[in-house]
Amino acid sequence: MVALTDLAFPGFFRPRTNEMGVYYGIRANGELVAMAGERLAVPGISEISAVCTHPAHTGKGHARLLMTRLLHDHADSGKRSFLHVNELNHHAFGIYQRMGFTVSRSVALWPISIS
């Protein structure tokens, strides 16, 4: 999971991040090629996080399929979903907009390392 997310956004996903929520993945020939899950949550709202697809497997609808599963999970438990995306990631931004997500605000995210 870390190796896959490091292709998309290095440093934001750690070895135990998957313990923060439910994560789903798609494998091809035994290799994890796409994933999405949950990370931050407050009562009534859950984040969809770590949506990524290996570059050799994009364009197959994997991100949409995984996100749809999470959206249904959230709706079934009475939660609303949110996510964040780098505004320069036009491909992901387009997918999220087509799925009905809208921009509520823009914030800066900075990776922080602890020595």
Side-chain angles (χ1 to χ4, degrees), residues 9-30:
F9 25 82
F12 280 99
F13 195 93
R14 301 285 188 215
R16 294 185 60 201
T17 301
N18 65 306
E19 295 175 19
M20 298 177 80
V22 173
Y23 282 82
Y24 296 108
I26 296 173
R27 294 183 180 275
N29 299 319

Side-chain angles (χ1 to χ4, degrees), residues 4 24-36 52-54 57 60-67:
L4 180 58
Y24 296 108
I26 296 173
R27 294 183 180 275
N29 299 319
E31 176 187 7
L32 182 65
V33 297
M35 64 178 269
C52 56
T53 303
H54 190 283
H57 296 271
K60 299 176 183 177
H62 294 331
R64 179 181 292 276
L65 179 68
L66 294 166
M67 287 183 61

